[in-house]
Amino acid sequence: MPLVKPDLDFVFGLTARLGEMIVIGDTPEGVRRMIPILDGTFTGPTVHGTVLGGGADWQYVRSDGVTVAEAVYLLRTDDGVLIQIRNRGLRHGPREVIQRLVEGEHVDPAEYYFRSSPTFLVQAGPYDWLNRDVFVATGARYARSIELWFYRVA
């Protein structure tokens, strides 16, 4: 049987401003925290617009140091279509690199692992292909913002 290796098609890049982290505390899952998503922009070859405020990234840090992120937020395309994103991902790296991130230092995203598996919800129309395909994303975390690059698995 032939091996079917998927390709990745770039969909869009996203930059969002983040609010102050709210630490909930130590839970059975690990240290739980929430980071408000304030606003932002996204742009790609066929889709672009703004990130709406009101979303949040609910995270917990496991005992092995891996941060598990579970973000839900809304995009509005430049032609007025709302797109909900549910994005679950993992971030980890060498202890000293993660400490630099925690301290708000600018860290090259090549120094740590940050990947996610987003799903989209959108009404029928020009972007409903987002409902039907599988996507992955890579990311970079900064002191008060985040960058994500979304790819469709072809």
Side-chain angles (χ1 to χ4, degrees), residues 10-53:
F10 178 71
V11 179
F12 62 83
L14 178 150
T15 301
R17 278 187 327 122
L18 304 174
E20 288 290 328
M21 179 185 298
I22 300 168
V23 177
I24 297 161
D26 198 13
T27 72
E29 293 178 323
V31 177
R32 189 71 149 152
R33 56 197 188 192
M34 188 274 288
I35 302 163
I37 298 170
L38 303 178
D39 58 26
T41 60
F42 67 98
T43 188
T46 63
V47 60
H48 39 83
T50 57
V51 179
L52 300 182

Side-chain angles (χ1 to χ4, degrees), residues 5-11 133-137 150-154:
K5 183 178 179 188
D7 291 320
L8 298 178
D9 297 329
F10 178 71
V11 179
D133 292 338
V134 172
F135 298 85
V136 295
F150 292 82
Y151 299 86
R152 179 180 143 309
V153 179

Side-chain angles (χ1 to χ4, degrees), residues 79-99:
D79 55 352
V81 176
L82 295 174
I83 302 169
Q84 179 185 325
I85 298 180
R86 294 180 186 157
N87 201 8
R88 187 169 199 281
L90 301 175
R91 186 178 68 225
H92 59 82
R95 182 166 295 198
E96 62 276 2
V97 171
I98 299 304
Q99 185 59 39

Side-chain angles (χ1 to χ4, degrees), residues 94-146:
R95 182 166 295 198
E96 62 276 2
V97 171
I98 299 304
Q99 185 59 39
R100 288 171 38 221
L101 275 177
V102 169
E103 292 170 0
E105 193 176 316
H106 182 88
V107 178
D108 182 340
E111 294 187 58
Y112 56 94
Y113 183 91
F114 185 177
R115 305 290 185 269
S116 64
S117 53
T119 57
F120 298 91
L121 290 173
V122 61
Q123 67 187 9
Y127 307 106
D128 61 5
W129 54 272
L130 291 165
N131 296 324
R132 295 189 298 268
D133 292 338
V134 172
F135 298 85
V136 295
T138 60
R141 177 69 158 91
Y142 305 107
R144 299 305 300 258
S145 66
I146 191 168

